[in-house]
């Protein structure tokens, strides 16, 4: 089994305990390894480290676990870096979601202006991480879960020589929304999706070996007026039947933009504000589990559940143990694997993962009905990564204006200046000029 040094950046987050539980559930695949949990908050680090050590001991794992706030010390001689951090925490996300609503735009943490400013903050931290890695761990591979994963990977792959593979369970889980809305069993379906992160579509879709779309058509006719069907599920089923392809859930922000905007403006709290209210309960649970001989994380009281970042762990295990796996990964479109997208654009596609690395499998083109919007989002991603890594205010406005959620140049300018000022503590000076 692989014996590596893994550094988990952002391990003091509310997802940290669940992520460590997930890693340790695969512990035998990493016997003899060292895990260093790194974050800026020492109290939360201590909680996650304590829980992780007790789980490892209970499972009789040969894994050494420690924690530190010193990122460069943690990264020294690292083989693998698992990165999942949020600059500014949920308070910053709340601004990402709340400010755009005043301008008639959906914020959202990975899409639109909210996702754009999350990328600016995340990539600013990544610049320092890359400098640290170049100095103390030149061969380390980055397994990224920091959002927006596509823009982060676009910046790192375009402007550095580092190997970074970004993961998101979307291509695995998105089909379930439509299948369940149609009353179908997800285990009997084969849905293959591709695109850019959170914005992928299916180019193959079968159910028990037959074309899925006629079944969705029948389900839509039967259920479109069903008041028991969740509004989001209904929208996704309608979108799938209209576009003849299974969508990512995040397409609600584009194809049902006005409805979602009105709902967001009317809601008493944004998603980030809901999470902020829930955080004390998560940490109370973790503090209770710190005292247990064998911690047992309750999915209902753990941020994100107890199997966090598991796709990254699957990719890591396949790579370091040279055990071939087929998994979705965000990486440059090497060899034009996804037709219609430039080779240096980061795409989300199914790949072969083994000891040689991650290689995109040949993909079929996205259907014409949906390809144009995904290509537009890929161009926004490209511009956002450039602005974040080396740009100025002018580059940022240009990128924001290219996002299909932002209706006019004037709105792009107003949003950029207000949000840049709100996030100024987490941005480089060049983006404020």
């Amino acid at each position: 089994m692989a014996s590596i040094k893994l550094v988990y950046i952002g391990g003091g987050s509310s997802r940290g305990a669940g992520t460590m539980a997930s890693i340790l559930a695969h512990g035998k695949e990493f016997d003899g390894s060292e895990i260093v949990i790194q974050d800026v908050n020492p109290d939360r680090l201590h909680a996650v480290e304590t829980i992780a050590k007790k789980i490892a001991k209970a499972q009789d794992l040969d894994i050494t676990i420690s924690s530190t706030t010193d990122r460069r010390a943690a990264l020294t001689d690292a083989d693998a870096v698992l990165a999942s951090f949020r600059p500014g925490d949920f308070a910053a996300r709340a601004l990402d979601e709340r400010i755009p609503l005043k301008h008639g735009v959906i914020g959202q943490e990975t899409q639109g202006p909210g996702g754009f400013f999350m990328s600016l903050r995340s990539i600013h931290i990544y610049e320092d991480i890359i400098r640290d890695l170049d100095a103390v761990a030149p061969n380390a591979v980055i397994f990224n879960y920091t959002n927006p994963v596509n823009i982060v990977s676009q910046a790192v792959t375009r402007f550095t020589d580092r190997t970074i593979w970004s993961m998101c369970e979307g291509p695995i889980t998105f089909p379930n929304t439509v299948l369940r809305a149609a009353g179908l069993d997800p285990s009997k379906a084969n849905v293959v999706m591709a695109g850019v992160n959170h914005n992928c579509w299916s180019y193959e879709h079968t159910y028990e070996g037959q074309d899925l779309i006629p079944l969705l058509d029948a389900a839509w006719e039967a259920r479109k007026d069903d008041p028991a069907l969740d509004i989001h599920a209904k929208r996704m089923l309608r979108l799938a039947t209209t576009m003849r392809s299974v969508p990512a859930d995040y397409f609600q922000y584009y194809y049902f933009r006005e409805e979602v905007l009105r709902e967001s403006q009317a809601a008493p709290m944004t998603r980030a504000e809901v999470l902020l209210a829930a955080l004390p309960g998560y940490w109370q649970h973790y503090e209770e589990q710190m005292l247990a001989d064998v911690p047992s994380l309750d999915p209902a009281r753990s941020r994100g559940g107890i199997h966090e970042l598991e796709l990254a762990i699957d990719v890591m295990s396949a790579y370091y143990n040279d055990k071939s796996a087929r998994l979705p990964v965000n990486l440059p479109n090497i060899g034009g694997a996804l037709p219609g997208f430039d080779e240096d654009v980061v795409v989300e596609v199914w790949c072969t993962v083994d000891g040689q690395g991650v290689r995109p499998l040949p993909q079929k083109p996205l259907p014409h009905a949906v390809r144009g919007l995904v290509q537009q989002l890929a161009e926004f991603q490209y511009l956002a990564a450039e602005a974040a890594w080396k740009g100025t205010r002018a580059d940022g406005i240009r990128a924001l204006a290219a996002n299909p959620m932002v209706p006019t140049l004037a709105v792009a300018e107003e949003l950029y200046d207000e949000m840049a000022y709100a996030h100024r503590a987490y941005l480089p000076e060049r983006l404020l000029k």
Side-chain angles (χ1 to χ4, degrees):
M1 294 294 99
S3 176
I4 63 172
K5 179 178 179 181
L6 167 62
V7 179
Y8 175 18
I9 297 178
S13 77
S14 54
R15 291 186 185 272
T19 299
M20 288 304 300
S22 186
I23 293 171
L24 296 172
H26 292 257
K28 294 299 183 183
E29 300 164 34
F30 297 98
D31 264 349
S33 292
E34 174 188 3
I35 301 175
V36 182
I37 312 168
Q38 189 275 331
D39 204 291
V40 297
N41 187 316
D43 294 333
R44 292 181 174 180
L45 267 181
H46 176 65
V48 175
E49 179 189 3
T50 300
I51 290 170
K53 282 183 172 179
K54 288 188 173 185
I55 292 174
K57 182 179 179 181
Q59 296 179 4
D60 194 27
L61 297 175
D62 180 21
I63 294 177
T64 302
I65 299 171
S66 63
S67 69
T68 181
T69 58
D70 187 333
R71 188 179 62 219
R72 180 167 286 207
L75 290 172
T76 300
D77 298 325
D79 299 298
V81 178
L82 177 60
S84 179
F85 56 88
R86 184 185 298 278
D89 296 322
F90 286 107
R93 176 177 169 177
L95 294 172
D96 287 338
E97 294 172 346
R98 180 60 67 187
I99 293 173
L101 292 178
K102 298 191 303 180
H103 297 264
V105 179
I106 300 167
Q108 217 290 315
E109 71 160 335
T110 66
Q111 311 293 298
F116 175 67
F117 274 90
M118 174 68 169
S119 74
L120 298 186
R121 300 192 305 276
S122 297
I123 291 168
H124 186 39
I125 299 296
Y126 251 105
E127 293 179 77
D128 291 333
I129 291 172
I130 298 299
R131 280 191 284 268
D132 286 345
L133 287 172
D134 288 346
V136 301
N139 298 316
V141 175
I142 303 170
F143 299 82
N144 178 63
Y145 252 89
T146 298
N147 274 323
V149 301
N150 55 323
I151 303 178
V152 167
S153 277
Q154 186 70 65
V156 174
T157 56
R158 185 176 171 201
F159 297 110
T160 81
D161 295 326
R162 305 303 309 195
T163 298
I164 180 171
W165 298 319
S166 287
M167 274 63 68
C168 175
E169 284 80 3
I172 300 171
T173 61
F174 286 143
N176 295 344
T177 301
V178 169
L179 291 164
R180 288 173 179 151
L184 300 174
D185 181 356
S187 69
K188 297 179 180 179
N190 178 47
V191 179
V192 184
M193 307 183 82
V196 299
N197 179 243
H198 285 178
N199 299 120
C200 50
W201 290 91
S202 68
Y203 59 77
E204 288 182 4
H205 29 254
T206 60
Y207 189 81
E208 296 184 320
Q210 302 300 311
D211 186 7
L212 171 65
I213 301 300
L215 297 177
L216 299 183
D217 290 338
W220 172 247
E221 287 304 314
R223 305 199 70 187
K224 63 183 179 182
D225 297 319
D226 184 354
L229 186 59
D230 172 77
I231 185 63
H232 173 67
K234 183 179 289 188
R235 286 169 179 163
M236 292 301 101
L237 180 57
R238 177 185 174 190
L239 186 57
T241 59
T242 301
M243 309 309 281
R244 321 308 286 168
S245 177
V246 177
D249 289 2
Y250 286 74
F251 280 116
Q252 68 171 322
Y253 300 115
Y254 302 97
Y255 292 94
F256 302 94
R257 179 169 51 191
E258 292 307 314
E259 299 99 311
V260 173
L261 174 61
R262 287 196 297 271
E263 291 162 2
S264 299
Q265 290 173 324
M269 292 194 291
T270 68
R271 175 60 179 161
E273 290 162 354
V274 170
L275 290 171
L276 277 168
L279 283 178
Y282 297 140
W283 286 107
Q284 180 184 0
H285 177 55
Y286 301 149
E287 289 165 5
E288 292 167 359
Q289 295 309 307
M290 286 173 64
L291 303 177
D293 291 336
V294 181
S296 178
L297 296 175
D298 179 353
R301 300 181 66 199
S302 302
R303 163 78 175 132
I306 59 173
H307 291 289
E308 285 298 283
L309 280 59
E310 195 155 21
L311 179 55
I313 300 159
D314 289 339
V315 172
M316 206 179 300
S317 182
Y319 176 58
Y320 288 109
N321 289 304
D322 193 12
K323 190 174 181 179
S324 184
R326 177 179 172 273
L327 298 164
V329 180
N330 289 261
L331 76 176
N333 191 32
I334 302 165
L338 181 60
F341 295 81
D342 293 342
E343 291 198 12
D344 64 343
V345 166
V346 169
V347 292
E348 185 165 65
V349 292
W350 287 87
C351 301
T352 295
V353 186
D354 56 26
Q356 302 303 307
V358 179
R359 299 179 303 284
L361 294 165
Q363 314 286 313
K364 294 180 182 178
L366 296 181
H368 281 289
V370 301
R371 193 184 312 172
L373 176 56
V374 181
Q375 288 172 327
Q376 184 179 359
L377 289 164
E379 295 297 338
F380 159 71
Q381 166 187 304
Y382 200 84
L383 291 169
E386 184 175 79
W389 193 267
K390 65 175 186 178
T392 63
R393 173 182 177 273
D395 297 303
I397 290 172
R398 185 160 47 248
L400 199 54
N403 187 285
M405 275 194 202
V406 179
T408 67
L409 178 59
V411 170
E413 292 171 336
E414 292 165 6
L415 267 174
Y416 186 91
D417 287 338
E418 183 172 353
M419 295 183 75
Y421 181 80
H423 292 302
R424 62 194 181 281
Y426 303 100
L427 299 178
E429 186 66 26
R430 56 182 167 77
L431 285 170
L432 304 176
K433 299 177 181 177

